[in-house]
Amino acid sequence: MDRLPPLRLLTTFEAFSRYGSMRMAATRMNVTQPAISQSLKALEAHVGVTLIDRSRKPAQLTEAGQILARAVRDGLGQISSALEDVRILSGQDSSQVTVSCTVGMATYWLMPRLPDFYGQHPDITVNVQAPSSDLPNLSPGIDVAVRYGIGDWHEGVTHKLFDERVCPVGAPDLIARLQDQGVGLDSAPLIHVRSPHNQHWAGWEDYLREKGIKRARPSGPTFNNYVQAAQAVLDGRGLMLGWHSISRRAVRDGALQEWPDGSIDLGTAYYVTTGGQPSAPTNNFVAWILKTASAAD
């Protein structure tokens, strides 16, 4: 146990691995970016291994960093779950709701809307967890799972939030240049999101096949994190598949643009699932997210 680094270094590292950038980790943890950088360097010194490849923009986890990130994420999740179980066993009346969803869903859809929930329920705290898997599951300590798919889950009670569509998105300047040059999706630069834990989302191969576009194996930069890939798209490095619920705010703000006539329906949707006997705060959250989803443009 003496070889374990301080918990604050591990939580900082987990935040960086989850959000994909020091800037976003600093924002989420309410500290400065230099503080994040110093903590990450201190962790590397403690471990004796380079965990972050800073030669790449944005910086990415090394193979060793990915191994540690998975272990830290799982370990912190188990601690959180154990603490919640202890509180339940002790009879504490918790006013907290723990929600599990993907990083993209948390960053681009849920978190921007949570202030509205807090305005209606200031006494309830919402804890958001983004597991390594792209299919969050209900487990001890998780009250609500927000998931993408076809809704074929059998545990708990599931409600559909909204149907989903997918469309290639890119920086407006890049799309304008490609259109002017007559470059189509059969040869446009592509950005991919792939990881061993990302098995339930369509990739470029699926999209191109659905659209009937023939192309050699799509190449291009690959990221294991949707947030990192989105930053590369914003920087004009290529096109990525944008799910309407996640990318529409950036499209509406003009930071991204959809590929003309590129939207397709894969028959998928977002769902919210609760298990066991939901608490009153959990029921309040589910009622709120269903209403919010129905009102979203």
Side-chain angles (χ1 to χ4, degrees):
M1 296 294 290
D2 292 340
R3 298 180 61 188
L4 288 175
L7 181 60
R8 65 178 179 83
L9 300 185
L10 293 176
T11 55
T12 300
F13 177 69
E14 193 279 332
F16 169 78
S17 68
R18 188 192 329 163
Y19 296 114
S21 76
M22 296 185 192
R23 177 180 60 81
M24 290 193 66
T27 299
R28 298 301 182 186
M29 298 185 71
N30 197 28
V31 298
T32 64
Q33 188 168 328
I36 295 291
S37 178
Q38 291 171 8
S39 293
L40 295 176
K41 290 179 180 178
L43 178 61
E44 289 178 317
H46 187 102
V47 177
V49 174
T50 299
L51 302 173
I52 300 170
D53 182 358
R54 296 172 176 80
S55 67
R56 305 182 68 174
K57 299 298 181 183
Q60 297 183 35
L61 295 177
T62 62
E63 183 177 359
Q66 293 176 15
I67 294 173
L68 181 59
R70 289 194 292 270
V72 170
R73 190 177 298 116
D74 291 344
L76 292 177
Q78 291 176 10
I79 292 173
S80 176
S81 296
L83 289 174
E84 187 62 26
D85 290 343
V86 168
R87 294 189 184 101
I88 293 174
L89 288 174
S90 66
Q92 295 183 25
D93 182 17
S94 175
S95 60
Q96 300 189 21
V97 178
T98 300
V99 181
S100 182
C101 61
T102 63
V103 173
M105 178 63 169
T107 304
Y108 299 112
W109 195 93
L110 180 58
M111 298 300 292
R113 291 172 169 83
L114 273 183
D116 177 68
F117 177 81
Y118 288 131
Q120 299 178 38
H121 303 280
D123 56 329
I124 299 177
T125 298
V126 178
N127 304 310
V128 180
Q129 296 188 6
S132 55
S133 169
D134 65 344
L135 189 62
N137 288 312
L138 293 173
S139 59
I142 301 297
D143 302 302
V144 180
V146 179
R147 300 183 281 199
Y148 167 81
I150 59 175
D152 55 341
W153 304 295
H154 304 293
E155 83 278 39
V157 177
T158 295
H159 302 278
K160 180 189 283 190
L161 287 178
F162 47 79
D163 293 315
E164 185 60 287
R165 296 184 66 84
V166 62
C167 182
V169 294
D173 288 347
L174 173 63
I175 289 183
R177 185 166 67 254
L178 294 174
Q179 295 281 297
D180 289 343
Q181 296 173 353
V183 176
L185 294 177
D186 57 343
S187 57
L190 307 180
I191 291 176
H192 306 266
V193 180
R194 294 195 187 104
S195 82
H197 307 290
N198 182 20
Q199 304 294 329
H200 301 90
W201 293 74
W204 274 110
E205 294 85 354
D206 305 297
Y207 176 87
L208 294 173
R209 182 170 57 251
E210 186 73 17
K211 290 285 287 184
I213 299 174
K214 294 183 178 180
R215 175 172 177 153
R217 177 174 173 80
S219 60
T222 299
F223 299 85
N224 66 355
N225 183 298
Y226 194 92
V227 176
Q228 292 174 337
Q231 185 58 55
V233 174
L234 290 169
D235 292 340
R237 295 174 58 187
L239 306 175
M240 73 180 296
L241 291 180
W243 276 258
H244 182 61
S245 63
I246 295 176
S247 62
R248 63 181 165 189
R249 177 164 296 197
V251 171
R252 184 176 59 205
D253 294 342
L256 293 177
Q257 180 179 326
E258 293 186 338
W259 187 264
D261 300 319
S263 180
I264 62 174
D265 183 352
L266 296 175
T268 54
Y270 268 98
Y271 298 83
V272 57
T273 300
T274 59
Q277 296 294 325
S279 65
T282 296
N283 286 331
N284 285 333
F285 176 83
V286 171
W288 169 81
I289 197 172
L290 288 171
K291 181 178 179 181
T292 300
S294 67
D297 54 10

